[in-house]
């Protein structure tokens, strides 16, 4: 994870604070803050949460002819290389597809964990149907599905079980 503290602060820029940083590769990452890179070599299964003033791209790649952004959340208005299965697909989906976290404060138990009301496309939108972002490798959607199947399989007739999430 790369956390600038707020989505409008620079998370990855040149040392001068405004220029383009070097090449960037992100896999299963959550980035909070603006990103300016010469080239985004690969952004995969990641969440980019950034905001910028009007007319300034929140995520900006100087060279967009090379690199790839795949199975990731990219804020509206970003200038990136070609995208594959990224969300939001259109400007109208931006509000529904914005990542919602239990907490954005480091050291909180729910730090950067998706809320239950987060769009399904973010919770199950990675290339292997896991969640986008830093908790990708926990495979929460798959664990949840497996638990539901086992509960249905082993519960006695007439009993019901539910899953309660705690952080």
């Amino acid at each position: 994870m790369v956390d600038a503290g707020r989505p409008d602060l620079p998370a990855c820029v040149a040392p001068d604070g405004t220029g383009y940083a070097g090449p960037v590769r992100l896999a299963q990452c959550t980035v909070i803050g603006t990103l300016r890179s010469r080239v985004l070599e690969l952004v995969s299964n990641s969440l980019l949460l950034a905001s910028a003033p009007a007319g300034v791209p929140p995520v900006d790649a100087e060279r967009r002819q090379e690199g790839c952004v795949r199975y990731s959340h990219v804020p509206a208005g970003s200038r990136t290389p070609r995208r594959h299965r990224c969300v939001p697909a259109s400007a109208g989906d931006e509000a529904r597809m914005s990542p919602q976290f239990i907490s954005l404060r480091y050291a909180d138990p729910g730090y950067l964990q998706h809320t239950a009301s987060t769009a399904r496309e973010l919770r199950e939108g990675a290339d292997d149907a896991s969640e986008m972002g830093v908790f990708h490798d926990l495979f929460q959607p798959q664990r949840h599905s497996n638990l539901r199947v086992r509960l249905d399989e082993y519960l006695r007739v007439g009993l019901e079980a539910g899953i309660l999430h705690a952080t």
Side-chain angles (χ1 to χ4, degrees), residues 31-150:
V31 178
I32 299 174
T34 59
L35 179 79
R36 291 178 55 90
S37 172
R38 294 224 180 274
V39 61
L40 291 173
E41 291 178 347
L42 175 68
V43 177
S44 177
N45 299 329
S46 297
L47 281 171
L48 306 178
L49 181 63
S51 63
V56 178
V59 175
D60 189 11
E62 184 179 41
R63 294 188 305 195
R64 292 183 301 281
Q65 294 80 21
E66 58 184 285
C68 177
V69 180
R70 58 188 293 273
Y71 298 98
S72 297
H73 175 274
V74 182
S78 296
R79 296 181 345 156
T80 65
R82 66 185 181 273
R83 298 181 194 181
H84 176 72
R85 311 270 320 253
C86 291
V87 294
S90 66
D93 288 340
E94 180 68 25
R96 187 178 69 82
M97 296 282 185
S98 69
Q100 298 175 15
F101 300 107
I102 294 172
S103 174
L104 285 172
R105 187 175 164 264
Y106 180 73
D108 278 354
Y111 178 60
L112 296 184
Q113 292 181 18
H114 292 292
T115 63
S117 61
T118 299
R120 183 177 184 171
E121 292 86 346
L122 295 176
R123 289 184 287 119
E124 299 176 9
D127 60 0
D128 56 4
S130 189
E131 70 182 76
M132 296 177 183
V134 72
F135 292 113
H136 169 270
D137 289 342
L138 292 179
F139 299 103
Q140 296 282 24
Q142 290 85 344
R143 292 168 61 195
H144 190 270
S145 175
N146 289 342
L147 180 58
R148 283 228 175 267
V149 168
R150 297 301 166 254

